């Protein structure tokens, strides 16, 4: 998509934090942020901005993701060529991966493709059916195999380490099935992995140079959506990946300034940091759009895994982070909003609002005699969802609950690219404010290692003994 400067401006996403301020919140519950308080955080914000700007692109700090919008021209062209081939050749495209290797592809697919993409006729889809298998539930694996023919399927195995039990177990099952079906594994798999290290590199050599993409050194799983991890699956389902990257670059440009009232990611990080300091340890993300519903899953991992840490950069013990909660407007108005409006004052709310939906869907006439229903007639579903979004923000504000809104003029590649980059930068800034390393995940590694031990991987014998001894006590089983 070619966009003029004027079009870019009109597609710029904005952050409205009116309902976070003491000016607009009533004098109950959350006090709201005064101008004075915001001023007092300016230095913290500026320092965080300086830290992130100074270290951007540094692989050794896992900050290589900041450069992904700029340094992938050649890779993008290669991905487009591969995707074109896959779109012609295969009936199904299956991502095997988990965590940062799965949530991004799920999010982008859901945001930018038809909500019933897999059910559309092939001609309308233009590409293969799309599946992301991010669990090792045996039923799910078996039932996927009931609906795909492995002979007509391309499997994108995504794992930076090539050592994740879930992904490697899936790979083994698929490779075995392909062999049983008389197919060459190599013809049906694409690896996305580390450049040199890891088991997928070894397997690729054994199979005879599998088509592979590199997850660059300085890019961790949850910051990898704009790398081949996300770009190949996106291109396969027809997403315009060049525009996605352009959207990210646009947000990067907006965030060059350390001024809070001009830098959307810095503003969001500061608002969240103030909330965390005031005991709001729950952050609810509530998109008013089915297309954006999996942004919440992707963001939940980004925010939780990056900020949930027990040690600061200088080694001081701490327990920081904020629990991300996923909600969907309007669906969760009828489930969670009661708690949000009247429950404890321990949450901050972020709405994702859409200015113009790709469909309007008029609500026809047909109930003239029943005014309680007739008021809907002649409106559109777009008007209804937008009214409900506004109404929920209003009700929360009236009840003294801090909330802010990220406005997307439309949901498309350019705005999604902006949103992803905004959240990634916001996370990096918040990590700097909390003085922790947002790019490691020792807590995840611990679980991975315990699984190795339980399943008898060599080198983990001691841990296995300990785990075997940790059997549940029947005295406490009811
Ligand atoms: O964000 C992360 O680093 C993790 O969620 C990883 O993406 C996840 O654990 C999968 O790891 P790998 O890509 O090594 O298979």
């Amino acid at each position: 998509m070619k966009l003029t400067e004027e079009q870019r401006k009109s597609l710029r996403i904005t952050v409205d934090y009116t309902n976070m301020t003491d000016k607009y919140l009533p004098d109950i519950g959350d006090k709201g942020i005064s101008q004075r308080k915001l001023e007092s955080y300016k230095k913290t914000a500026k320092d965080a901005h300086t830290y992130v700007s100074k270290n951007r692109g540094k692989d050794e700090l896992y900050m290589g993701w900041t450069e992904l919008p700029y340094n992938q021209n050649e890779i993008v062209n290669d991905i487009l060529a591969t995707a074109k081939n896959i779109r012609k050749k295969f009936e199904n495209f299956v991502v095997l991966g988990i965590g940062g290797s799965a949530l991004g592809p799920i999010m982008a697919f859901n945001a930018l493709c038809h909500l019933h993409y897999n059910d559309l006729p092939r001609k309308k889809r233009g590409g293969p059916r799309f599946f992301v298998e991010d669990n090792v539930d045996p039923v799910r694996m078996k039932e996927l195999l009931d609906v795909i023919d492995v002979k007509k399927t391309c499997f994108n195995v995504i794992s930076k380490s090539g050592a994740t039990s879930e992904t490697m177990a899936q790979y083994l099952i698929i490779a075995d099935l392909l062999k049983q079906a008389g197919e060459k594994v190599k013809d049906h798999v694409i690896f996305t992995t580390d450049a040199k290290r890891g088991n997928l590199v070894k397997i690729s050599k054994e199979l005879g140079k599998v088509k592979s993409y590199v997850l660059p050194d300085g890019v961790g799983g949850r910051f990898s959506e704009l790398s081949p991890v996300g770009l190949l699956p996106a291109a396969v389902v027809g997403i315009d990946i060049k525009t996605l990257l352009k959207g990210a670059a646009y947000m990067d440009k907006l965030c060059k300034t350390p001024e809070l009232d001009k830098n959307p990611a810095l503003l969001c990080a500061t608002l969240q940091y103030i909330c965390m300091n005031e005991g709001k340890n729950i952050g609810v993300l509530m998109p008013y759009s089915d297309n954006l519903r999996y942004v919440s899953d992707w963001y939940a991992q980004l925010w939780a895994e990056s900020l949930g840490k027990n040690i600061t950069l200088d080694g001081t013990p701490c327990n920081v982070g904020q629990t991300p909660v996923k909600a969907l407007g309007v669906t969760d108005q009828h489930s969670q909003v009661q708690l949000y409006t009247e429950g404890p004052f321990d949450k901050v709310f972020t709405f994702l609002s859409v200015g113009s939906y790709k469909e309007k869907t008029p609500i026809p006439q047909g109930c003239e005699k029943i005014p309680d229903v007739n008021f809907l007639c002649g409106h559109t579903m777009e008007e209804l969802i937008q009214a409900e979004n506004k109404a929920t923000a209003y009700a929360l504000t009236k009840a003294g609950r801090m909330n802010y809104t990220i406005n997307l003029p439309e949901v498309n590649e350019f705005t999604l690219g902006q949103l992803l980059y905004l959240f990634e930068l916001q996370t990096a800034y918040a990590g700097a404010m909390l003085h922790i390393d947002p790019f490691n995940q020792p807590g995840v590694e611990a679980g991975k290692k315990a699984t190795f031990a339980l399943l008898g991987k060599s080198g983990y014998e001691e841990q296995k003994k300990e785990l075997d001894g940790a059997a549940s006590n029947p005295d406490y089983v009811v």
Side-chain angles (χ1 to χ4, degrees), residues 452-473:
F452 295 159
L454 281 169
L455 292 185
K457 184 168 172 179
S458 87
Y460 293 85
E461 292 76 10
E462 278 310 305
Q463 197 172 1
K464 175 151 173 47
K465 271 190 221 152
E466 194 187 321
L467 280 158
D468 287 345
S472 75
N473 183 337

Side-chain angles (χ1 to χ4, degrees), residues 98-101 158-161 164 221-222 301 305 441 444 448:
I98 195 161
S101 302
I158 308 180
S159 175
K160 187 169 175 84
S161 61
T164 303
R222 57 193 175 275
Q301 187 212 13
E305 210 167 292
Q441 54 282 329
V444 177
K448 283 189 182 181

